[in-house]
Amino acid sequence: MTEQRKLYPAYDAYQTGYLDTGDGHQVYWELCGNPKGKPAVFIHGGPGGGIANYHRQLFDPERYHIMLFDQRGCGRSKPHASLENNTTWHLIEDLERLRNFMGVDKWLVFGGSWGSTLSLAYAEKHPNSVSELVLRGIFLLRPQELHWYYQEGASRFFPEKWERTLSILSKEERKDVIAAYNKRLTSEDLQVQLEAARLWSLWEGETVTLLPSANSLSFVEEHFALAFARIENHYFINNGFMDETQQLLDHIDVIRHIPAVIIHGRYDMACQIQNAWDLAKAWPEAELHIVEGAGHSFDEAGILHQLIKATDKFVGK
């Protein structure tokens, strides 16, 4: 049996700072690893999730030079939980600014969940900036995907957790959960925002792993939940600011020449396996790994194994 790959040992960033976007945001970034190594950028999920120290450990620090950053409004970026000038296209501009700041022509782009969405959108907008793609827990922002997770679908597998999510909504509001939560998450009353934010965030925290995880409790921490729920809902009610319902698939030919690995858990309830299958069918050159006995989270054993294999593969290890 092949030994399961695990995270690299913990290591620190050697440089951190803030990118002034010029339109009201300060985007936190950090550089890690070997400045002479292969350039890579880590794109976190959510939207609104932010980076964590262990995300660095997905890359060999001796062989990679890694940029990590908190997307607008979340993590250590400022202002916290801000929705102004916060769209997919703003984030793509931020990525290009960070690449230019790093001083590299191309970099490996690594993204999971919403990070896979933003990675694909960025690569399709700037294909000459991307050397390879590592994509996990594919989310293509199609209407049926949002309907599955926030209306009918995943709720059938977690009825008690979904009932809790609906508990603050009227019968009429339950017909459009994303819109009903949007009213609360943009309320002028901070307590109304917080109540909705914790419920929205806990729904995701408790459904992204195949088996229950103690990490789900971190989703209700006030600072995290407020940014996560407000920003995620803001993107979803606006369909990710995409012009077309299948935009990422319809423009896949632009990036089919880029080496790519697609990794998806068989029992992913947040983002169905069909998403990865549809992407792989449209992109036959990409390498697809369906991980049995896994859900959505990057640190589930089988998914993590494939992620580390992918980053090692592209660095020539």
Side-chain angles (χ1 to χ4, degrees):
M1 182 180 292
T2 303
E3 181 180 355
Q4 290 285 294
R5 304 302 304 278
K6 298 180 180 180
L7 291 172
Y8 279 93
Y11 56 95
D12 294 328
Y14 72 81
Q15 186 179 357
T16 65
Y18 283 89
L19 169 73
D20 186 341
T21 65
D23 57 7
H25 287 269
Q26 297 284 325
V27 173
Y28 172 82
W29 57 264
E30 57 184 45
L31 287 171
C32 314
N34 180 357
K36 296 183 179 179
K38 180 180 179 65
V41 60
F42 176 85
I43 302 181
H44 68 69
I51 57 172
N53 292 345
Y54 48 72
H55 290 142
R56 305 168 189 156
Q57 298 170 243
L58 290 157
F59 304 87
D60 182 344
E62 295 184 2
R63 294 172 177 262
Y64 273 103
H65 189 202
I66 316 109
M67 168 70 76
L68 298 92
F69 71 105
D70 288 320
Q71 294 161 32
R72 295 186 180 207
C74 67
R76 281 162 282 191
S77 291
K78 299 177 285 190
H80 181 67
S82 173
L83 307 181
E84 291 187 26
N85 297 320
N86 197 341
T87 72
T88 303
W89 312 110
H90 286 104
L91 300 184
I92 287 173
E93 291 174 10
D94 294 345
L95 274 160
E96 275 296 270
R97 291 191 187 102
L98 289 169
R99 182 186 62 80
N100 287 322
F101 169 77
M102 195 174 174
V104 298
D105 293 329
K106 293 188 176 187
W107 52 7
L108 177 146
V109 176
F110 181 119
S113 192
W114 156 255
S116 74
T117 320
L118 184 54
S119 295
L120 287 167
Y122 170 70
E124 290 179 2
K125 182 74 172 178
H126 297 284
N128 294 329
S129 297
V130 181
S131 57
E132 300 91 8
L133 284 155
V134 177
L135 306 171
R136 186 269 308 165
I138 304 304
F139 177 43
L140 300 172
L141 251 176
R142 296 173 294 181
Q144 64 264 35
E145 297 173 45
L146 294 173
H147 188 81
W148 160 266
Y149 199 47
Y150 292 105
Q151 207 64 47
E152 295 181 51
S155 60
R156 300 172 191 169
F157 294 86
F158 305 100
E160 78 286 12
K161 303 180 192 305
W162 186 241
E163 187 172 299
R164 181 185 59 210
T165 307
L166 298 179
S167 64
I168 60 172
L169 307 183
S170 69
K171 185 176 180 180
E172 185 65 25
E173 287 177 314
R174 295 178 186 191
K175 295 177 182 178
D176 190 339
V177 173
I178 292 176
Y181 262 86
N182 183 259
K183 291 179 182 178
R184 288 165 170 77
L185 291 168
T186 57
S187 168
E188 293 184 1
D189 187 330
L190 180 58
Q191 292 309 309
V192 171
Q193 287 189 35
L194 282 171
E195 179 186 40
R198 288 190 171 110
L199 286 172
W200 176 282
S201 300
L202 188 58
W203 163 247
E204 186 154 337
E206 290 192 337
T207 57
V208 291
T209 52
L210 181 64
L211 298 175
S213 169
N215 292 337
S216 63
L217 295 176
S218 65
F219 279 71
V220 298
E221 186 276 320
E222 180 178 316
H223 186 83
F224 175 86
L226 199 59
F228 183 77
R230 276 172 52 83
I231 295 170
E232 192 169 73
N233 178 275
H234 167 69
Y235 273 73
F236 294 170
I237 201 168
N238 288 291
N239 296 309
F241 305 93
M242 297 288 177
D243 297 326
E244 310 159 40
T245 57
Q246 289 213 137
Q247 182 165 337
L248 297 177
L249 289 180
D250 290 345
H251 295 268
I252 203 69
D253 285 352
V254 176
I255 62 171
R256 281 178 57 183
H257 65 285
I258 300 174
V261 174
I262 301 167
I263 299 161
H264 206 107
R266 172 75 71 185
Y267 304 106
D268 187 334
M269 289 294 132
C271 299
Q272 295 178 86
I273 184 64
Q274 189 68 47
N275 303 347
W277 186 252
D278 291 347
L279 179 61
K281 292 289 283 186
W283 193 359
E285 297 84 0
E287 182 181 314
L288 172 65
H289 294 277
I290 298 174
V291 181
E292 303 294 346
H296 181 71
S297 185
F298 89 95
D299 57 357
E300 294 184 71
I303 294 176
L304 181 59
H305 172 73
Q306 292 296 342
L307 290 172
I308 301 296
K309 276 185 62 179
T311 56
D312 280 355
K313 168 187 173 178
F314 287 135
V315 82
K317 186 174 180 179

